[in-house]
């Protein structure tokens, strides 16, 4: 079966722009979580959605937002991009609670110039 | 505060030798603990998890981990390392429907 699909794989944006990243979870998985990975901060939790509702949110500014659609696909948006937003953004899905583990996508590498 | 700690940024092992990647936890109650591996330019891959039961957990690619409650540790082990095991390894715990990761340990296996 298909894994977690993230698009695009690579993205270059300019400071001040906004960006939308997409994640399609494994079929049947209703929970989607997003992480930011940087060399300095490691893996940081952004938010988690289940059945179109945000269940959990990490400690990120309001410029970072997300949503989930009825087919469980999820998008995250970052507005007013800053250089520090350059990172690998990872999406992960699970059937119900993430407590039992995730399946990760390959990520979107965002570079802000 | 709850956390997992990976005390070593880098571990170097010769191929064929046993390997250990260390993790200690500070998590209340009965922790759910995980190990994930990340290869270059890829997402994380699940290796194994401890939820309850046997303290020795067997996972993918010949890896295993031992849950030690008295030492609050969950070290990842493999009896004989392969060059292809070279990657970034993360210990993690779950809390309130999210998984929190340690800082990662880079494992380098030399031929």
């Amino acid at each position: 079966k298909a894994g977690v699909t993230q698009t695009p794989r690579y993205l270059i944006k300019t400071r001040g722009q906004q960006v939308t990243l997409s994640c399609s979870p494994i079929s049947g998985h209703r929970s989607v979580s997003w992480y930011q990975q940087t060399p300095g901060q490691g893996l940081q939790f952004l938010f988690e959605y289940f059945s179109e509702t945000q269940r959990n949110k990490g400690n990120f500014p309001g410029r970072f937002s997300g949503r989930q659609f009825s087919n469980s696909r999820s998008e995250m948006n970052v507005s007013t991009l800053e250089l520090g937003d350059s990172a690998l953004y990872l999406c992960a899905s699970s059937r119900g609670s993430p407590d039992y583990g995730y399946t990760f996508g390959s990520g979107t590498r965002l570079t802000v110039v | 505060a709850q956390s997992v700690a990976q005390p070593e940024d880098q571990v170097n092992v010769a191929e064929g030798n046993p390997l250990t990647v260390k993790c200690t936890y500070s998590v209340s109650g009965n922790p759910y603990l995980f190990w994930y591996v990340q290869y270059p330019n890829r997402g994380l891959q699940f290796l194994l998890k401890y939820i309850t039961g046997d303290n020795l957990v067997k996972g993918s690619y010949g890896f295993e981990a031992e849950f030690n409650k008295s030492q609050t540790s969950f070290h990842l082990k493999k009896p004989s390392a392969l060059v292809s095991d070279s990657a970034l390894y993360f210990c993690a715990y779950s809390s309130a429907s999210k998984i929190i990761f340690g800082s990662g340990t880079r494992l380098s296996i030399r031929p």
Side-chain angles (χ1 to χ4, degrees), chain A residues 45-60:
Chain A
F45 174 78
L46 280 156
F47 25 66
E48 186 243 352
Y49 288 87
F50 181 84
S51 292
E52 302 178 67
T53 300
Q54 187 182 86
R55 287 199 301 194
N56 261 303
K57 188 177 190 306
N59 190 25
F60 277 81

Side-chain angles (χ1 to χ4, degrees), chain B residues 11-29:
Chain B
V11 171
N12 300 307
V13 177
E15 187 175 27
N17 282 1
L19 69 87
T20 299
V21 183
K22 295 179 180 176
C23 173
T24 58
Y25 66 89
S26 175
V27 180
S28 59

Side-chain angles (χ1 to χ4, degrees), chain A residues 9-10 33 35 37 43 45 48 55-56 88 90 97-107 109, chain B residues 32 34 36 38 41-46 49 51 88 90 94-103:
Chain A
R9 287 296 310 275
Y10 302 92
S33 299
Y35 287 82
Q37 186 178 21
L43 277 160
F45 174 78
E48 186 243 352
R55 287 199 301 194
N56 261 303
L88 180 65
L90 292 164
S97 169
D99 286 347
Y100 296 97
Y102 294 135
T103 301
F104 277 85
S106 294
R109 171 77 61 187
Chain B
Y32 292 0
F34 304 84
Y36 282 81
Q38 186 178 33
N41 297 314
R42 301 299 303 273
L44 277 69
Q45 293 180 30
F46 171 84
K49 67 184 175 191
I51 294 183
L88 187 56
F90 291 94
S94 69
S95 171
S97 295
K98 62 181 180 289
I99 294 183
I100 306 300
F101 292 87
S103 56

Side-chain angles (χ1 to χ4, degrees), chain A residues 8-71:
Chain A
R9 287 296 310 275
Y10 302 92
L11 207 48
I12 299 175
K13 290 286 188 179
T14 304
R15 272 182 303 174
Q17 286 187 313
Q18 75 165 12
V19 67
T20 299
L21 311 182
S22 179
C23 173
S24 293
I26 289 173
S27 177
H29 283 194
R30 296 168 65 190
S31 169
V32 174
S33 299
W34 289 88
Y35 287 82
Q36 181 196 65
Q37 186 178 21
T38 59
Q41 299 297 318
L43 277 160
Q44 292 193 284
F45 174 78
L46 280 156
F47 25 66
E48 186 243 352
Y49 288 87
F50 181 84
S51 292
E52 302 178 67
T53 300
Q54 187 182 86
R55 287 199 301 194
N56 261 303
K57 188 177 190 306
N59 190 25
F60 277 81
R63 300 186 297 107
F64 291 81
S65 63
R67 59 179 176 169
Q68 187 181 33
F69 302 95
S70 58
N71 62 357

Side-chain angles (χ1 to χ4, degrees), chain A residues 57-100:
Chain A
K57 188 177 190 306
N59 190 25
F60 277 81
R63 300 186 297 107
F64 291 81
S65 63
R67 59 179 176 169
Q68 187 181 33
F69 302 95
S70 58
N71 62 357
S72 294
R73 190 177 71 85
S74 178
E75 290 181 345
M76 68 163 282
N77 184 78
V78 188
S79 62
T80 321
L81 284 165
E82 300 177 359
L83 295 179
D85 297 333
S86 295
L88 180 65
Y89 289 89
L90 292 164
C91 167
S93 74
S94 63
R95 191 171 297 277
S97 169
D99 286 347
Y100 296 97

